[in-house]
Amino acid sequence: KLSEERNRTLLEHLGEGIAVLQDGKVAFANRRAIELMRVTEAEAIGANFLQWLHPDDRGLAATRQARRQNGENVPDEYELRVLDKDGTVRWMNVHATPVPWEGRPATMSFFSDVSARKRTEAALQVSEERYRAVVEHVGDGMVVIQNERFVFVNARAAEIARLPREQMLQSGFTSVIHPDDRALVLERQRRRLAGEDVPARYELRLRHGDGSITWIEIGVTLVPWDGHPATLTFFADVSH
């Protein structure tokens, strides 16, 4: 009796929702599960759990539940949406595992509301798409150089260099610079990364595969890139 009371106390005060599903119905739900689903205990116990899910997620949840009960190997952790009575859509992270319940197969699901994280991810994705649109359509060439290699090249940079972007990313950055300018560029790159004061703007030449030359004016600044120092360079064709 004492052990049962302790177990019930633990289940009722866990931060995660816990529900036991059997024959497609809710056989048990702890207090947090009731709060997360925004229903009463009377509405929850014996109800078909699919009714609370977003229509687009019901098929997946029902299929996985059936396969899990049949002993098949299906993902035990995934995310799905619930649909509140007022039409609000919320995301839940669910971890499900088969358990015996009163002598018969059932599924115990632990779940938590991850809607805030989902909104943040969506906002970051929108922001990333906006930044990418700006970077790809800016009039200047833009490259990031790290460890003497290109780690980022925008479309305009590849156009000015007259090389495919993929080829630039696979080669050292000095390969596109005129041989007579390479020593100067490497020296300034080294000193800049060492924290020394060097000119941020100057002109140099690119030499193309056909031997022709393009003069560019560059502006260079230090930036972090994937947690390590790098240089961001903007440049424009000033040959004319």
Side-chain angles (χ1 to χ4, degrees):
K1 179 67 174 178
L2 184 58
S3 177
E4 181 181 343
E5 289 176 354
R6 286 175 177 170
N7 289 337
R8 180 172 294 276
T9 298
L10 290 173
L11 288 176
E12 290 300 340
H13 291 85
L14 276 176
E16 285 188 304
I18 301 176
V20 175
L21 309 177
Q22 193 173 58
D23 301 326
K25 308 289 185 182
V26 179
F28 168 81
N30 73 343
R31 185 181 305 166
R32 182 58 178 153
I34 299 298
E35 292 174 356
L36 287 172
M37 299 312 299
R38 298 180 181 174
V39 296
T40 65
E41 186 175 3
E43 291 173 323
I45 304 303
N48 185 335
F49 77 100
L50 293 175
Q51 66 181 317
W52 297 312
L53 303 186
H54 190 284
D56 294 344
D57 293 343
R58 290 173 187 169
L60 172 66
T63 299
R64 287 191 174 176
Q65 173 75 356
R67 292 179 60 194
R68 187 176 293 108
Q69 290 300 300
N70 288 333
E72 297 182 45
N73 186 22
V74 294
D76 58 2
E77 186 171 2
Y78 53 104
E79 294 178 349
L80 48 76
R81 292 161 291 182
V82 299
L83 190 63
D84 294 337
K85 296 174 182 177
D86 62 1
T88 300
V89 176
R90 292 178 297 127
W91 281 92
M92 297 288 170
N93 177 270
V94 181
H95 182 93
T97 185
V99 296
W101 190 262
E102 296 183 349
R104 295 193 302 115
T107 297
M108 179 174 288
S109 296
F110 299 81
F111 57 97
S112 56
D113 190 330
V114 293
S115 301
R117 175 172 62 77
K118 281 289 188 180
R119 287 193 295 269
T120 300
E121 289 174 352
L124 286 173
Q125 184 176 3
V126 169
S127 177
E128 181 179 347
E129 289 172 354
R130 288 174 178 168
Y131 281 122
R132 183 174 295 276
V134 171
V135 166
E136 288 301 337
H137 293 88
V138 72
D140 285 347
M142 186 185 301
V143 297
V144 176
I145 297 169
Q146 189 175 63
N147 298 325
E148 298 189 8
R149 301 186 70 85
F150 293 113
V151 293
F152 173 81
V153 177
N154 77 342
R156 180 60 178 150
E159 182 181 339
I160 293 173
R162 302 182 196 173
L163 288 171
R165 189 171 357 198
E166 294 74 18
Q167 182 176 335
M168 293 181 68
L169 291 170
Q170 292 171 2
S171 59
F173 82 98
T174 57
S175 63
V176 299
I177 299 173
H178 192 287
D180 293 345
D181 294 341
R182 289 176 187 170
L184 171 67
V185 174
L186 283 170
E187 175 65 11
R188 289 188 173 178
Q189 176 81 347
R190 181 192 63 77
R191 292 177 59 195
R192 184 177 292 107
L193 289 170
E196 297 182 36
D197 186 22
V198 293
R201 301 192 68 85
Y202 59 103
E203 295 179 352
L204 56 87
R205 292 162 292 181
L206 303 182
R207 190 173 72 174
H208 307 294
D210 61 2
S212 61
I213 292 172
T214 296
W215 277 93
I216 60 172
E217 181 183 38
I218 70 171
V220 189
T221 185
L222 284 171
V223 295
W225 191 266
D226 289 337
H228 300 284
T231 55
L232 172 63
T233 301
F234 296 85
F235 60 94
D237 184 342
V238 294
S239 300
H240 66 280

